[in-house]
Amino acid sequence: AIVRNVGTDEFSEVLQSAQLRRGGIITSDEPLTTDEREFAPIFDRLRQRNPDALFLNLGESQLAAALRALRARPVTFPIFTSYGIEVLN
């Protein structure tokens, strides 16, 4: 699954293409505006789709809010960001 800012369509397309070449699929692609700060509903919806991994391509100020929202949920999949790999525990 991908959660990203609007305007990063090329990034999303490249990531999806790479996954397809490796036999994977992107179960969800959530483009958000750069002022989005309410991630709980998005992550609740994504958890129901049970992704193998989540990639966050968000701005720094959004990333902190997104990671706080993820920490409040029981997620078991790895989380990758455009700033590196984040460990929640």
Side-chain angles (χ1 to χ4, degrees):
I2 303 170
V3 175
R4 63 183 175 88
N5 283 327
V6 170
T8 59
D9 298 339
E10 183 178 357
F11 168 82
S12 178
E13 292 165 6
V14 169
L15 186 58
Q16 290 186 49
S17 176
Q19 287 300 310
L20 284 173
R21 283 194 308 273
R22 290 169 177 78
I25 60 167
I26 301 295
T27 58
S28 182
D29 183 4
E30 300 278 340
L32 308 174
T33 63
T34 56
D35 60 343
E36 180 67 53
R37 296 293 185 277
E38 183 52 50
F39 295 97
I42 296 162
F43 293 143
D44 288 341
R45 189 170 53 249
L46 288 177
R47 272 189 32 236
Q48 293 174 355
R49 294 182 182 141
N50 197 29
D52 290 330
L54 173 62
F55 193 91
L56 301 173
N57 188 23
L58 302 169
E60 279 186 79
S61 60
Q62 288 177 296
L63 189 57
L67 292 173
R68 278 192 296 275
L70 282 165
R71 186 174 289 150
R73 281 154 185 71
V75 296
T76 57
F77 45 79
I79 300 161
F80 301 93
T81 76
S82 51
Y83 292 100
I85 299 171
E86 302 296 330
V87 177
L88 296 180
N89 292 326

